Amino acid sequence: MRLKPHLLASAMILAAAAAHAEGELQLYNWGNYTSPEVLAKFEAETGIKVTVTDYASNDEALAKIEAGGSGFDLVVPSNSFIPIFLEKGLIQPLDLSKLPNHKNIAPEWMDVSWDPGRVSSVPWQWGSTGVGVNTSVYKGDINTSAIFLDPPEELKGKINVTPEMMDAISMATLYVGGELCSEDPEVLKKVRDVLMAAKPSWMSMDYGMEDKLATNDVAASMYWNGAVMRARLKNPDVKFGYPKEGYVLFMDSVALLSDAKNVEEAYKFMNFIMDPENAAGLSAFARYGNGIAGSDAFMPDDMKTAPEVVIPEEFKAAGQFIPTCSAKAQEYNTAIWTELMK
């Protein structure tokens, strides 16, 4: 049966309204970091279609969004980048009345230095940067940044360094005994020298080391704890080392872009991931902690005791969050990095 023209027009209007009500959302996130199961659950419950676009580094995300016209609604920067996004006016303060699950943020992740009171971001995942090592190749001490900064013979030519500028420079700074975001020329010269001296022993500077560590395509990598756990689940010879000289902690958080088009959908998504069960779902996929109180009850059993996730007591004090560096420190860091990447 064909509809009469006026009825057909009404039906088309209703269909369009329903489609708009379902909505869409553009999420800009780190690669291999977003649980397909959690996205499917969100879409089933809300009707909102989420499109995820990947990036590889904080600097890449910042440059893309600062250029304008990205079309993204949400971004997931690391802690030291949240103040930069705010200062540049790229993200907007949150309307907490639209986030009833905001109360689920664990106290230690609420009044954080980079976003006191969590008024501009909500937790995604947190973890540490250390070293992943295939212990079938190297059986010595892995709890040191010497793994990639002064490599033992067994590892030379088999090492990857993940090209995340602030992680690599911060790990090198701690290794030479300096303070993070240092402006001290003597410290920075040591950082530059140790990195440049180590580089000939590296095989690559790349991402995507989970499978390569597991298959021994690389024997060691400066890398993130969750990804190393995923590699270990494929190959028990892979272990995560916490450098005793100091290592980096991070918290990636979701922020609402100032030019977001799908604002209400974005609020629904942020509220959704602060539900303890959904936060645990994100962790179950990426293998990082999440910052939401009550999520432990829904965590996979193998994460509750995993040495990559539960930091051993002896190494807890060595972990540091990277602060937001001064413009001068950032200029020095960029100069070192530019030379290293040549």
Side-chain angles (χ1 to χ4, degrees):
M1 179 182 71
R2 293 179 180 273
L3 291 174
K4 294 181 180 179
H6 71 281
L7 294 177
L8 179 59
S10 297
M12 292 175 66
I13 291 169
L14 289 171
H20 179 73
E22 289 179 348
E24 61 180 31
L25 179 66
Q26 298 290 332
L27 173 64
Y28 195 33
N29 200 359
W30 297 81
N32 202 25
Y33 203 29
T34 309
S35 166
E37 291 80 8
V38 171
L39 288 186
K41 182 181 178 184
F42 175 74
E43 291 177 7
E45 290 187 11
T46 64
I48 297 168
K49 172 66 177 175
V50 182
T51 299
V52 182
T53 303
D54 295 345
Y55 55 83
S57 71
N58 280 299
D59 292 291
E60 178 186 341
L62 178 61
K64 175 74 171 178
I65 291 168
E66 195 170 14
S70 69
F72 302 130
D73 302 305
L74 295 172
V75 66
V76 192
S78 298
N79 48 282
S80 62
F81 275 73
I82 292 288
I84 298 172
F85 274 81
L86 280 168
E87 182 183 351
K88 292 178 178 290
L90 302 174
I91 59 177
Q92 58 182 287
L94 299 175
D95 181 350
L96 300 187
S97 70
K98 296 180 178 180
L99 297 170
N101 285 336
H102 192 268
K103 66 182 185 298
N104 294 336
I105 298 176
E108 63 268 31
W109 298 113
M110 182 67 80
D111 283 315
V112 289
S113 60
W114 58 88
D115 185 14
R118 285 292 184 170
V119 296
S120 300
S121 68
V122 302
W124 180 263
Q125 306 263 275
W126 76 273
S128 53
T129 304
V131 288
V133 181
N134 190 311
T135 58
S136 69
V137 178
Y138 179 67
K139 301 187 183 302
D141 180 17
I142 67 169
N143 294 300
T144 172
S145 286
I147 292 292
F148 71 99
L149 293 175
D150 187 13
E153 285 299 324
E154 300 97 310
L155 295 175
K156 287 183 178 179
K158 304 174 184 177
I159 299 165
N160 179 74
V161 173
T162 304
E164 180 67 28
M165 180 178 77
M166 287 311 301
D167 281 7
I169 288 180
S170 295
M171 297 283 277
T173 301
L174 294 171
Y175 184 72
V176 302
E179 295 185 0
L180 298 183
C181 290
S182 176
E183 297 180 5
D184 185 336
E186 290 186 12
V187 170
L188 290 160
K189 184 179 184 306
K190 290 179 182 178
V191 170
R192 179 261 177 208
D193 289 349
V194 75
L195 286 167
M196 293 301 294
K199 186 179 178 182
S201 297
W202 301 344
M203 176 183 181
S204 59
M205 294 185 73
D206 205 355
Y207 298 93
M209 289 297 113
E210 178 186 328
D211 287 333
K212 291 184 178 181
L213 276 169
T215 58
N216 204 18
D217 287 340
V218 299
S221 181
M222 186 201 85
Y223 215 37
W224 300 300
N225 62 312
V228 175
M229 179 179 176
R230 291 160 80 169
R232 174 178 61 80
L233 293 175
K234 299 173 182 178
N235 181 349
D237 288 334
V238 176
K239 307 294 182 188
F240 184 74
Y242 294 90
K244 52 183 173 285
E245 304 88 3
Y247 61 91
V248 171
L249 297 170
F250 64 85
M251 160 64 87
D252 298 327
S253 299
V254 183
L256 179 61
L257 291 172
S258 296
D259 60 355
K261 299 292 189 293
N262 303 296
V263 174
E264 294 308 311
E265 291 85 351
Y267 274 109
K268 288 180 181 178
F269 185 78
M270 286 187 285
N271 194 60
F272 182 84
I273 63 170
M274 288 189 288
D275 174 89
E277 185 172 359
N278 299 330
L282 295 177
S283 293
F285 173 77
R287 300 292 182 169
Y288 297 95
N290 58 62
I292 299 300
S295 65
D296 285 354
F298 303 98
M299 286 285 215
D301 288 340
D302 61 0
M303 288 189 69
K304 294 177 182 178
T305 57
E308 302 91 348
V309 179
V310 182
I311 301 173
E313 198 64 38
E314 63 186 301
F315 299 120
K316 283 185 177 178
Q320 296 186 41
F321 283 96
I322 303 172
T324 302
C325 296
S326 68
K328 185 176 181 181
Q330 191 67 10
E331 183 180 345
Y332 284 138
N333 291 340
T334 301
I336 293 170
W337 193 249
T338 299
E339 184 177 4
L340 186 68
M341 295 298 284
K342 287 180 180 176

